[in-house]
């Protein structure tokens, strides 16, 4: 079986006919070119081995191509502002983008913007996930490097601001690049800065392992796969090699080019902007503002190939070519969804969903059935969905709910009992209004697992399929069957008889009445 092909993927800031070029690493043969726009620095990412994403230089959108449909732009992912850096998770589930001083996190399967992190004080300059997608790291012009736990970011209490796991503040000038090694939460992270230092950190403990001082500012940093060597690109065009396995032991050291002359790659005439090492650790790829991409033999420090581009190089990386890049018949397994520009989609001013209904479980977990086609993503518990018949309008879509502390206007009905239920016990809703099928468990509301239950905005095209209704009714009936006779009398008796009853000391005593068991 032939070894996987390694390719070099490069972009520059002055490309007119193409945005990205792909060439075979060892032969130099040009394989693919992707047309449209100019990719910014740290703005190129491969998504799930099926799509190529490029943050456009100075523009407020991200271009996306299918790897084989290189001449046809698949989608423009619109963003609130110019994208300064971009990355994707290795498992293909998430996209991260730096926009000004904020970090935007999207879920690929739905296109939902899950969270916006604003803990940097100046523009975010670089982003990267760990190899197992459990953590990601961000560096900014505010001299800070932040290590984030993805699980903590996604499950944070809405009332609290997400906090990074580690804040590394030992740099004194803007961060220019970072590289995360292998090991997931046990990985080591190398960071470079204009303060002429490269620092090595440990994700698990947050400790500083090593700091190397150079004579020039460092613009790019990377490590080989075995993490034996650290490669640092300088602002004067030099590339420095730091051997980690033969390090004497101290945490701080100055790199002396005179003494370590055999550890310097010389050839670029301007600052080095990006570095990447091959899988076997034998060759080094570098891009520079001198408009060239060079391939170096690490053992001899000799340049073995030079590729000239049309402008300053913004991205250059070595990767194993995905099957979809080499096979002309390959097509993505799933289409790329529409990416929302605002949190939680239509509720925050984005384009309304066309029909369908949404059930949110927790902050970002949803069950959506657009156009009557349900799709389930990370659902915790479903008891049913409320259907809105075609033609039902504004008031029915708003409902009589209290959501996130905001009292919403009640829906007009034939009559209301003193507790606010339309028509009293057993009454039918007015004509043209839906009969809601509500979640039954009070403890779901108490745990914060359900934040909203109402039809999505926009004109509906159809009802939720019968399978969704059947699933909801089935779960509701099973939950009811598990109750003892005493609990049924205690919980349902006062509501059905229309008079207040004793409260259970542990169930819903601090919840508003609408969050307890609801009479259907």
């Amino acid at each position: 079986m032939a070894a996987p092909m390694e390719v070099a993927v490069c972009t520059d800031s002055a490309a007119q006919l193409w945005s990205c070029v792909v060439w075979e690493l060892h032969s130099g043969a040009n394989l693919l070119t992707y047309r449209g726009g100019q990719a910014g620095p740290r703005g190129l990412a491969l998504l799930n081995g099926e799509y190529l994403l490029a943050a456009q230089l100075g523009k407020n959108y991200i271009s996306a191509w299918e790897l084989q449909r290189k001449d046809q732009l698949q989608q423009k992912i619109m963003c609130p502002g110019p994208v300064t850096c971009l990355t994707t998770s290795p498992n293909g589930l998430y996209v991260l983008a730096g926009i000004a001083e904020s970090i935007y996190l999207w879920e690929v399967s739905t296109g939902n913007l899950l969270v916006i992190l604003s803990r940097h004080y100046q523009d975010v300059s670089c982003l990267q996930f760990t190899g197992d997608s459990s953590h990601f790291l961000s560096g900014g012009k505010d001299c800070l490097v932040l290590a984030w736990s993805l699980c903590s970011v996604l499950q944070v209490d809405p009332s609290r601001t997400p906090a990074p796991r580690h804040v590394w503040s030992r740099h004194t000038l803007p961060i220019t690049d970072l590289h995360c090694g292998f090991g997931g939460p046990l990985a080591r992270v190398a960071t470079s800065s204009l303060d002429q230092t490269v620092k090595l950190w440990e994700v698990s403990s947050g400790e500083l392992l090593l700091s190397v001082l150079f004579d020039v500012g460092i613009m790019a940093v990377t490590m080989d796969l075995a993490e034996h060597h650290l490669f640092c690109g300088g602002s004067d065009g030099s590339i420095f090699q730091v051997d980690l396995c033969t390090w004497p032991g101290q945490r701080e050291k100055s790199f002396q080019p005179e003494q370590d002359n055999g550890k310097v790659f010389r050839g670029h005439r301007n600052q080095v902007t990006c570095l990447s090492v091959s899988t076997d650790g034998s060759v080094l790829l570098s891009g520079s503002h001198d408009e060239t991409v060079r391939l170096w033999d690490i053992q001899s420090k000799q340049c073995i190939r030079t590729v000239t581009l049309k402008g300053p190089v913004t991205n250059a990386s070595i990767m194993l070519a995905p099957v979809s890049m080499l096979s002309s018949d390959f097509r993505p397994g799933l289409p790329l969804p529409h990416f929302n520009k605002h949190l939680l989609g239509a509720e925050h001013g984005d384009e309304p969903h066309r029909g369908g209904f949404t059930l949110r479980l927790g902050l970002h977990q949803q069950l959506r059935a657009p156009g009557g086609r349900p799709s389930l993503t990370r659902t915790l518990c479903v008891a049913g969905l409320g259907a809105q018949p075609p033609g039902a309008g504004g008031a029915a879509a708003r409902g009589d709910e209290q959501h996130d502390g905001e009292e919403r206007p009640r829906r007009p009905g034939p009559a209301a009992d003193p507790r606010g239920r339309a028509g009293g016990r057993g009454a039918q809703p007015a004509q043209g209004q839906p009969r809601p099928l509500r979640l039954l468990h009070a403890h779901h509301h108490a745990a914060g697992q359900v934040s909203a239950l109402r039809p999505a905005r926009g004109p509906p095209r159809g009802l939720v399929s019968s399978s969704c209704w059947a699933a909801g009714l089935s779960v509701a009936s099973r939950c009811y069957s598990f109750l003892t006779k005493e609990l049924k009398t205690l919980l349902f008796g006062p509501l059905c008889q229309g008079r207040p009853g004793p409260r259970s000391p542990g169930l819903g005593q601090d919840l508003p009445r609408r969050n307890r068991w609801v009479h259907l």
Side-chain angles (χ1 to χ4, degrees), residues 327-342:
S327 173
S328 58
D329 298 330
F330 186 87
R331 289 294 178 268
L334 292 174
L336 202 63
H338 169 75
F339 279 69
N340 293 328
K341 177 166 70 167
H342 303 283

Side-chain angles (χ1 to χ4, degrees), residues 71-270:
D71 295 330
Q72 181 177 353
L73 192 64
Q74 178 71 12
Q75 184 184 141
K76 287 184 178 180
I77 301 174
M78 303 307 297
C79 301
V83 179
T84 57
C85 53
L86 174 71
T87 192
T88 58
S89 61
N91 58 19
L93 298 180
Y94 302 99
V95 173
L96 271 179
I99 302 175
E101 70 276 1
S102 299
I103 302 170
Y104 287 66
L105 176 65
W106 283 276
E107 185 179 44
V108 174
S109 61
T110 61
N112 289 335
L113 177 59
L114 301 184
V115 68
I116 300 174
L117 305 172
S118 300
R119 291 296 297 265
H120 283 281
Y121 303 102
Q122 295 185 42
D123 289 356
V124 181
S125 56
C126 42
L127 290 166
Q128 191 173 0
F129 271 93
T130 57
D132 65 345
S133 305
S134 65
H135 292 72
F136 61 90
L137 302 115
S138 62
K141 293 183 178 180
D142 55 0
C143 317
L144 297 178
V145 178
L146 307 181
W148 304 83
S149 168
L150 181 62
C151 180
S152 298
V153 167
L154 293 179
Q155 299 184 6
V156 70
D157 187 345
S159 63
R160 298 172 52 194
T161 303
R165 179 175 177 181
H166 302 299
V167 178
W168 296 327
S169 57
R170 300 288 291 273
H171 286 289
T172 57
L173 285 176
I175 307 300
T176 56
D177 196 12
L178 60 84
H179 174 82
C180 182
F182 283 87
L186 303 177
R188 296 186 294 178
V189 177
T191 59
S192 63
S193 171
L194 292 177
D195 62 6
Q196 304 182 359
T197 66
V198 169
K199 300 183 186 297
L200 194 64
W201 313 83
E202 189 176 51
V203 174
S204 58
S205 64
E207 292 183 3
L208 175 64
L209 303 178
L210 177 66
S211 179
V212 185
L213 177 65
F214 297 87
D215 292 336
V216 296
I218 304 299
M219 310 303 298
V221 65
T222 191
M223 290 187 288
D224 61 347
L225 195 62
E227 299 184 9
H228 288 169
H229 307 294
L230 190 66
F231 300 94
C232 313
S235 57
D236 64 345
S238 301
I239 303 173
F240 310 103
Q241 175 182 320
V242 178
D243 296 332
L244 299 178
C245 293
T246 59
W247 201 254
Q250 65 267 29
R251 290 195 175 186
E252 297 187 5
K253 182 188 176 181
S254 297
F255 187 92
Q256 303 296 333
E258 300 81 10
Q259 300 175 5
D260 300 316
N261 191 36
K263 306 296 183 184
V264 181
F265 301 77
R266 302 185 186 276
H268 284 296
R269 301 184 305 274
N270 205 333

Side-chain angles (χ1 to χ4, degrees), residues 366-386:
Q366 296 188 0
L367 179 140
R368 177 174 297 145
R373 297 188 302 273
S375 62
L376 186 62
T377 58
R378 297 202 314 273
T379 304
L380 297 180
C381 177
V382 180
L385 294 172

